[in-house]
Amino acid sequence: MGDNAESILAVEHLTMHFGGLVAVDNFSFAARRGEVTALIGPNGAGKTTVFNCVTGFYKPTVGMIRLLHPDGREFLLERLLDFRITKLARVARTFQNIRLFPGMTVLENLVVAQHNPLMVASGFSIAGLFGLKSYAQAEKAAIDKARYWLDRTGLLARADDNAGQLAYGEQRRLEIVRAMCTDPVLLCLDEPAAGLNANESADLNKLLLFIRAEHGTSIVLIEHDMSVVMEISDHIVVLDYGLKIADGTPSDIRNDPKVIAAYLGHEDDATELSGAGARP
Amino acid sequence: MSPSPSVQDNSANTLGISVLAAALKEAALAALVALGLFFFLIGIKTDQGPTGALVIMPRFEALAMIVGAVFTGSFLRALIAGNKSIMSRVELPAWIVPKLQWAGRFMGAAFLVFALALPFLFFNNRYVLDLGILVLTYVMLGWGLNIVVGLAGLLDLGYVAFYAVGAYSYALLAQNFGLSFWIGLPLAGILAAFWGVLLGFPVLRLRGDYLAIVTLGFGEIIRLVLLNWRDLTGGPNGISGIPRPSFFGLPFDESANGFAATFGLEFTPTHRLVFLFYLILALALVTNWVTLRLRRLPIGRAWEALREDEIACRALGINTTNTKLTAFAIGAMFGGFSGAFFATRQSFISPESFNFGESALVLAIVVLGGMGSQLGVAIAALAMIGGFELFRGFEQYRMLLFGATMVIIMIWRPRGLIATRTPSLLLAAGKAKSASSNRDGDGR
């Protein structure tokens, strides 16, 4: 742990205040390259806040978020605008409540994700407006990439349907592969298994393991579904009331008394009640 | 165990009575609302009395008639439709959809052929040509606004501002620097685009209703500046004597080097009108071509993605600031082109031509036509501007008719006349999509 050579994301002393509320308090963790890191904790623990800080949707009150590319480049994410984090630092994310482009087709969703390379290929629309050949080739490559991911997720037959018409589980998968179409080095998934049945969860596990193995993309995920967390995570970080309470391998976490207490309550009834009372 | 016939009769009877009672109740309620609403609007009228003072004239017969009409109408509706709401959108029967698609494919071409042939068909009919030019101006404005509202989903209530910027740019450039129309036109477009970006910056964070209010304000600001900056714009007197366009340097006049003399034709003022007609047709077609082309480029797809979900756009690395500003700029540019055309056609402009009503009319064309649909916007422009002329005989009632038509269309086709969206690219090449299925997702 903490070895910079192999860590891809290092969050240091992250603190986030919303007015008087401290959502995340002096939180530090590192995600290692090529691993699946899970961020777990009860509802309201501050997991999504951490994600929003990492992906630039919030500016952290205090703290440093470093991203190390395999080629040695380093990005300080807390200083980058949200869209630049995806564009330059190559961090992609999904959302807890799926955010697709429901009125556009599945294929269009995946091609929109390749906006930045395609913009360059279209000469910022000027070359594309006059139908230059180089743009046609770039568009074909973009469609091929989309086809590859659709094939992976079994959505190829639905490519020309509107994304809003897909079943819930299919929308989840589409959002993940749409994020993959931005060629990320780090993929942040906010509750990818929420609302999925056991079969769909198993498919999701396979997809995530495939992404990690074949594309070398490191994954950080927030998840409540322990079957997903325990099966695919290499490393788990537990957050409660904005504080880190545990950090380790799945087996460490499973037996950690503090984690069990956070999830199931303390054995002592009095403390449990006071704990429950304090929870907003 | 089946109920005895008498019981059945009885229940049918009570059912009938209860439906009747419900219908009466609903009709009475509607009539009451109408009474309250129309009492002041129709029931009383102020007029000048014999001594010159204002007197109140009761018009209770008119009030009774309208309340009676509301009562009868809502009673019949309740009887016939029962609990079904007329507010539900009209679903086209399944067999008609492919036929409509087939027709739609040729409709654009048919319109184009008709537009090209119009000056020949109605060469001697100045009125039709003038109306054609007017309709095409609104088609072009509609297509320009369609980029901002239909594609990028940015509700712009001040589009007329760019129309005004284009018109005044050309008028001032032509008057002060003697620039010809063909140089003034692109400059007017560029200046309007510049103002589009300038006005776009402060509203980057706004969406929906808030954006609409601010753009409405901008439209008014531009108009008020034009009205009050007397030194530059002539204030309410406007600018007159704006040069007419020439046919590649040949003016449309009776002189020896005029258009008619050069081509050995007998001089008639219709030549200029025909030329203006083809000019606006060409400008509108350029707008259409650029829009259709941009829709298939990353920028166009980013506009549509922005309309669907701005946060998801940012998460995918799309610079939403630039995307919005390009939508504003390109929409404004086409508004500027049509403004320059308007100035050269009228040869006189004043701030009166650029009031909020124009913005509302263009927006109504886009919304009625179906946001994002090029053909729909063209049909809506034809129906609104042409229809308005058609009902000129109805005098003051045409506004009523117009409003009623809009309400009916919005009830039955809430997404506009043509609510289908053609995907910008398809995986299965050549495979026709079921158009009715598009846009059915919880689009926005």
Side-chain angles (χ1 to χ4, degrees):
Chain A
M1 276 292 303
D3 185 1
N4 280 344
E6 58 169 323
S7 80
I8 181 153
L9 177 75
V11 173
E12 284 160 32
H13 308 292
L14 182 71
T15 303
M16 184 78 209
H17 293 224
F18 294 107
L21 178 80
V22 183
V24 178
D25 191 7
N26 198 11
F27 174 67
S28 303
F29 84 103
R32 275 166 292 185
R33 177 165 305 133
E35 285 195 351
V36 176
T37 307
L39 198 57
I40 66 169
N43 287 329
K47 306 179 297 290
T48 300
T49 305
V50 171
F51 254 43
N52 283 340
C53 289
V54 169
T55 51
F57 281 83
Y58 294 159
K59 283 273 158 274
T61 316
V62 180
M64 184 154 85
I65 305 162
R66 282 189 301 146
L67 183 87
L68 287 130
H69 270 209
D71 60 12
R73 281 183 302 160
E74 188 182 277
F75 295 90
L76 292 173
L77 300 187
E78 78 277 8
R79 295 187 187 171
L80 285 178
L81 279 172
D82 45 18
F83 77 90
R84 282 183 209 277
I85 287 181
T86 312
K87 190 178 172 180
L88 303 175
R90 301 205 165 283
V91 177
R93 73 167 293 178
T94 65
F95 294 88
Q96 199 171 344
N97 46 344
I98 307 170
R99 283 185 176 275
L100 290 170
F101 305 122
M104 300 173 81
T105 68
V106 170
L107 180 66
E108 283 176 312
N109 267 270
L110 297 187
V111 175
V112 166
Q114 303 173 53
H115 177 76
N116 289 317
L118 281 176
M119 261 320 248
V120 175
S122 74
F124 297 92
S125 304
I126 293 159
L129 197 59
F130 298 103
L132 259 70
K133 211 168 193 174
S134 61
Y135 173 67
Q137 283 164 353
E139 193 182 65
K140 194 170 171 299
I143 294 174
D144 284 342
K145 185 193 260 183
R147 190 199 299 272
Y148 166 82
W149 282 113
L150 290 176
D151 198 25
R152 270 282 123 213
T153 45
L155 291 172
L156 202 54
R158 309 290 311 264
D160 295 332
D161 289 334
N162 277 2
Q165 293 173 314
L166 296 184
Y168 188 78
E170 293 172 325
Q171 294 197 6
R172 282 263 174 226
R173 291 208 296 277
L174 179 61
E175 201 192 13
I176 294 170
V177 296
R178 187 182 66 178
M180 282 309 293
C181 278
T182 63
D183 284 328
V185 295
L186 179 69
L187 181 62
C188 298
L189 304 172
D190 198 345
E191 300 202 20
L196 300 188
N197 65 31
N199 276 339
E200 288 171 327
S201 285
D203 283 345
L204 175 75
N205 285 356
K206 265 189 241 159
L207 176 66
L208 295 184
L209 291 173
F210 169 82
I211 286 172
R212 188 186 64 167
E214 295 292 317
H215 292 265
T217 308
S218 314
I219 297 173
V220 178
L221 62 93
I222 294 175
E223 192 45 77
H224 286 295
D225 185 339
M226 284 305 146
S227 72
V228 173
V229 172
M230 291 300 168
E231 201 170 311
I232 66 167
S233 311
D234 303 296
H235 172 200
I236 298 177
V237 179
V238 190
L239 202 61
D240 192 20
Y241 293 116
L243 287 164
K244 182 159 93 172
I245 58 170
D247 189 341
T249 62
S251 57
D252 290 345
I253 298 299
R254 195 175 282 142
N255 302 318
D256 191 311
K258 275 201 278 186
V259 177
I260 295 165
Y263 268 92
L264 303 175
H266 298 269
E267 279 174 34
D268 183 346
D269 276 348
T271 40
E272 188 196 357
L273 281 175
S274 68
R279 198 176 283 273
Chain B
M1 196 176 94
S2 63
S4 66
S6 70
V7 171
Q8 211 169 14
D9 260 352
N10 216 354
S11 71
N13 244 340
T14 40
L15 196 72
I17 287 166
S18 76
V19 166
L20 206 67
L24 273 173
K25 196 175 148 194
E26 199 181 313
L29 205 68
L32 198 70
V33 171
L35 182 68
L37 197 66
F38 291 120
F39 180 77
F40 294 102
L41 294 178
I42 291 171
I44 49 175
K45 183 188 174 194
T46 54
D47 213 341
Q48 211 164 33
T51 58
L54 274 183
V55 291
I56 291 176
M57 307 266 291
R59 293 198 297 178
F60 292 133
E61 323 80 67
L63 182 65
M65 270 162 66
I66 202 133
V67 170
V70 167
F71 182 84
T72 322
S74 89
F75 179 69
L76 289 177
R77 193 206 70 77
L79 267 192
I80 296 162
N83 288 330
K84 269 187 293 171
S85 170
I86 54 156
M87 294 304 216
S88 66
R89 136 179 193 204
V90 173
E91 287 297 339
L92 297 170
W95 61 268
I96 209 168
V97 168
K99 292 201 169 145
L100 278 181
Q101 278 177 333
W102 184 83
R105 223 169 296 153
F106 297 102
M107 213 156 161
F111 271 127
L112 183 60
V113 169
F114 178 69
L116 285 170
L118 189 100
F120 296 103
L121 297 174
F122 297 97
F123 189 77
N124 292 320
N125 197 336
R126 225 187 133 81
Y127 173 72
V128 171
L129 282 178
D130 257 329
L131 184 60
I133 291 172
L134 192 66
V135 168
L136 283 173
T137 311
Y138 280 97
V139 168
M140 179 162 176
L141 282 171
W143 278 342
L145 185 63
N146 201 13
I147 294 174
V148 185
V149 178
L151 293 183
L154 303 162
L155 187 52
D156 186 350
L157 283 182
Y159 190 63
V160 76
F162 308 122
Y163 190 41
V165 167
Y168 272 87
S169 299
Y170 168 62
L172 291 172
L173 286 171
Q175 290 232 311
N176 297 331
F177 301 102
L179 295 184
S180 79
F181 176 72
W182 294 106
I183 297 170
L185 179 77
L187 284 178
I190 289 167
L191 283 170
F194 169 73
W195 277 93
V197 172
L198 217 62
L199 300 187
F201 261 113
V203 298
L204 281 173
R205 289 159 172 274
L206 304 178
R207 278 191 79 80
D209 314 353
Y210 303 99
L211 179 69
I213 296 288
V214 175
T215 50
L216 173 78
F218 280 147
E220 285 299 289
I221 288 170
I222 297 267
R223 190 178 65 84
L224 289 173
V225 167
L226 293 177
L227 197 60
N228 291 292
W229 195 353
R230 284 163 178 272
D231 302 338
L232 185 72
T233 63
N237 299 330
I239 300 175
S240 53
I242 301 164
R244 301 291 203 157
S246 56
F247 184 80
F248 300 104
L250 302 175
F252 290 95
D253 57 16
E254 283 176 286
S255 67
N257 54 355
F259 174 80
T262 311
F263 287 89
L265 301 167
E266 197 185 328
F267 173 76
T268 152
T270 315
H271 285 154
R272 177 193 289 140
L273 216 53
V274 170
F275 175 68
L276 283 173
F277 181 86
Y278 280 123
L279 177 62
I280 186 66
L281 182 63
L283 284 174
L285 288 177
V286 166
T287 311
N288 185 39
W289 180 79
V290 170
T291 309
L292 289 179
R293 196 87 207 188
L294 286 177
R295 246 199 101 220
R296 287 163 191 278
L297 287 175
I299 185 71
R301 259 175 243 130
W303 286 339
E304 290 198 78
L306 192 70
R307 177 189 72 203
E308 301 279 320
D309 195 325
E310 189 175 340
I311 289 176
C313 276
R314 295 217 301 265
L316 293 175
I318 295 174
N319 185 339
T320 50
T321 305
N322 288 355
T323 308
K324 277 187 191 180
L325 289 181
T326 43
F328 272 123
I330 292 175
M333 185 179 74
F334 289 123
F337 286 154
S338 27
F341 174 82
F342 177 76
T344 194
R345 179 184 99 118
Q346 300 281 22
S347 150
F348 165 75
I349 49 170
S350 74
E352 244 174 80
S353 312
F354 308 106
N355 53 28
F356 171 66
E358 294 294 303
S359 285
L361 184 58
V362 178
L363 187 69
I365 287 173
V366 173
V367 173
L368 279 182
M371 292 208 261
S373 162
Q374 298 290 96
L375 184 61
V377 168
I379 293 173
L382 184 67
M384 303 239 334
I385 309 299
F388 212 70
E389 287 299 317
L390 211 63
F391 292 112
R392 197 171 269 286
F394 287 80
E395 292 175 15
Q396 75 252 45
Y397 295 106
R398 69 177 175 167
M399 218 49 193
L400 188 70
L401 204 73
F402 193 58
T405 319
M406 278 181 75
V407 168
I408 289 169
I409 291 179
M410 282 296 108
I411 287 174
W412 283 337
R413 311 261 325 151
R415 286 171 187 278
L417 291 171
I418 298 186
T420 56
R421 175 181 174 275
T422 324
S424 67
L425 74 171
L426 291 171
L427 195 63
K431 192 181 99 179
K433 285 289 303 165
S434 150
S436 63
S437 66
N438 283 325
R439 285 270 185 110
D440 274 0
D442 44 346
R444 70 196 72 171

